[in-house]
Amino acid sequence: MTDNQARHHRLPGRLARAGLLRPWSLLAAGALAGGLLGGAYGTFRAPTYTATSYVVAVPTEKSDPASALGFAQAYGRAATQLAVLGDAQAWAGVTVPTLRRSVRTATSPDAPMVAVSATSQRPGLAADMANAVTRALTRHANATKGSTHVELLQFSRAVRPTDPTSASPVVTGLVGASAGGLLGGLALLVRPRRTGDDHPVRPASVPGPAPAADVHGQL
């Protein structure tokens, strides 16, 4: 067997091994790139803090606990409305759009309580915004307690948080690695696939013209 024939026999095996390695290398590259980007994002992004205050709806003598529970659900939705945030901005020291982006509320189907949470890169500001919104909400609710027969009371004030609530670099790195691996897998699914017919076909050899002397000899 000549050197050229040996190289032709080894070529299909090399191509098969390369076809097996390329998909795995694409997945690994996507996961690695995503992990690095996610870790860098978690490292260089400023941490955020969340503070939460609570208010509770209490029925008066002319109402019942079921009414208080229903009004607590309504107050939870009203806490982020313009009327409440407009009053809260003076106590929080920020604008209404900032409060709208930073404040979230949550209610319970079993207890007449409203949780007001505020998120900020400054822990003190997070507590100030949560307390300002609960203060404004309490004033608006108690202004109509004569007709609603439900009083809103502060249950607990928001305190300055000490630990950030944003994801750590490890978590963002894992999320980035998962996303990168997923994108690598999607790239494998949409890439064009090679089949056995894709190998180049060598042209058939055409014999050259016979020498003139041979032609004369045949005649």
Side-chain angles (χ1 to χ4, degrees), residues 145-171:
K145 69 179 180 179
S147 58
T148 62
H149 305 294
V150 174
E151 185 178 6
L152 198 62
L153 302 177
Q154 187 173 54
F155 184 78
S156 66
R157 288 178 55 84
V159 297
R160 180 189 179 99
T162 57
D163 298 323
T165 55
S166 54
S168 65
V170 175
V171 175

Side-chain angles (χ1 to χ4, degrees), residues 49-148:
Y49 299 84
T50 301
T52 304
S53 61
Y54 297 89
V55 292
V56 60
V58 180
T60 63
E61 296 179 355
K62 298 181 180 180
S63 184
D64 53 35
S67 298
L69 182 60
F71 274 104
Q73 304 291 327
Y75 292 148
R77 293 188 293 269
T80 54
Q81 299 303 312
L82 181 60
V84 177
L85 298 182
D87 291 344
Q89 65 176 341
W91 297 314
V94 295
T95 61
V96 170
T98 300
L99 288 174
R100 194 183 299 275
R101 290 192 305 267
S102 306
V103 175
R104 297 292 181 270
T105 61
T107 57
S108 172
D110 302 321
M113 185 172 293
V114 181
V116 179
S117 300
T119 302
S120 175
Q121 296 179 357
R122 296 157 51 190
L125 180 59
D128 291 341
M129 288 191 294
N131 289 325
V133 172
T134 55
R135 181 180 177 182
L137 178 63
T138 301
R139 291 187 58 180
H140 277 271
N142 292 338
T144 58
K145 69 179 180 179
S147 58
T148 62

